[in-house]
Amino acid sequence: MEKKEAQKQALALEIIGRLKNEYPDADCTLDYDEAWKLLVSVRLAAQCTDARVNIVVEKLYEKFPDVDALAAASPEEIEEIVRPCGLGKSKARDISACMRMLKEEYGGKVPDDFDELLKLPGVGRKSANLIMGDVFGKPAIVTDTHCIRLTNRMGLVDEIREPKKVEMALWKIIPPEEGSSFCHRLVYHGREVCTARTKPYCERCCLKDICEKNGVESSN
């Protein structure tokens, strides 16, 4: 087991290095300039594109420009604006409750503690890791759909689909300081090359000679 983990660590370092060269400026594709706005956007991004979220939140912040304003808004008022992101009722309910909790229990500030973030309505491990990494610069691994798909294809994890289990497996092989930016680069690579809805563009992939999936398919 230790030998296999060491091999995965070596593979991870190689993949991290190549993706850095390929996507040197990769960062979060959700637009935000304050921590609470990233909390809102990441909740809206569930089953919705980041591009659409970035458009919708502009209208939301025009009407509700800060935590206090959003906390005072009714879920129905929020839903009216965020409906284009899908699942409007549940997302609006979570955003409303989250902003109220931020105002009442955290003085309007987003906590920089992982467990405290998980207490916020609508915030799961993926969202909490995104906040920890992007806002506070702390070790983070964001297991979104791109991360899960690509790390399985690359052979960094072995047929694991549950987000938390993927996260735990990656913590063992990804250097803590690399986790956040590595996951952002997986998003870029997953959208441009290692796609989900079409056959992956393996022929132009910077990882094609070390990718487990490509090696298996090439030998068949």
Side-chain angles (χ1 to χ4, degrees):
M1 183 64 75
E2 287 184 6
K3 182 180 179 182
K4 188 173 184 180
E5 192 170 298
Q7 291 172 335
K8 287 184 183 296
Q9 286 176 338
L11 177 61
L13 290 175
E14 180 65 25
I15 290 172
I16 287 169
R18 293 192 189 190
L19 291 180
K20 276 185 181 180
N21 288 332
E22 197 76 8
Y23 311 101
D25 301 317
D27 55 16
C28 183
T29 51
L30 291 167
D31 294 338
Y32 70 98
D33 55 13
E34 295 181 72
W36 68 270
K37 290 182 178 179
L38 183 55
L39 266 181
V40 171
S41 289
V42 74
R43 181 65 188 94
L44 292 176
Q47 299 182 41
C48 181
T49 65
D50 290 359
R52 174 167 289 185
V53 171
N54 289 338
I55 293 170
V56 170
V57 292
E58 287 186 17
K59 298 176 183 176
L60 185 67
Y61 302 148
E62 280 177 16
K63 189 166 185 179
F64 308 110
D66 53 36
V67 171
D68 287 354
L70 207 46
S74 69
E76 291 74 22
E77 288 177 297
I78 297 171
E79 182 188 356
E80 188 176 332
I81 299 172
V82 304
R83 191 177 290 118
C85 293
L87 305 174
K89 192 175 294 292
S90 63
K91 290 179 179 180
R93 186 176 62 243
D94 284 343
I95 290 169
S96 174
C98 182
M99 294 301 113
R100 288 201 306 270
M101 190 169 177
L102 278 186
K103 179 184 178 182
E104 294 166 6
E105 298 189 27
Y106 297 98
K109 303 294 184 183
V110 176
D112 63 352
D113 177 84
F114 188 81
D115 292 328
E116 292 297 314
L117 286 168
L118 289 179
K119 294 178 183 178
L120 297 171
V123 176
R125 297 188 67 86
K126 182 180 77 171
S127 302
N129 270 297
L130 184 66
I131 298 289
M132 291 296 285
D134 277 54
V135 174
F136 300 114
K138 296 187 176 183
I141 290 178
V142 182
T143 49
D144 63 6
T145 56
H146 294 290
C147 176
I148 294 169
R149 183 177 76 256
L150 269 64
T151 54
N152 272 282
R153 285 178 175 176
M154 295 169 178
L156 293 178
V157 299
D158 301 315
E159 297 301 319
I160 307 173
R161 305 295 172 186
E162 186 183 321
K164 184 177 179 180
K165 289 183 178 179
V166 172
E167 181 192 334
M168 294 302 111
L170 291 176
W171 277 120
K172 296 177 181 178
I173 61 173
I174 303 292
E177 69 277 8
E178 297 286 358
S180 181
S181 57
F182 171 64
C183 291
H184 286 319
R185 291 186 173 97
L186 290 179
V187 172
Y188 280 69
H189 197 62
R191 288 175 178 169
E192 296 180 18
V193 179
C194 200
T195 53
R197 294 184 180 179
T198 64
K199 187 177 179 182
Y201 300 102
C202 297
E203 70 282 355
R204 56 184 174 89
C205 178
C206 63
L207 307 171
K208 61 184 177 183
D209 59 315
I210 57 172
C211 176
E212 184 176 280
K213 180 178 176 67
N214 188 52
V216 169
E217 290 189 344
S218 298
S219 61
N220 288 342

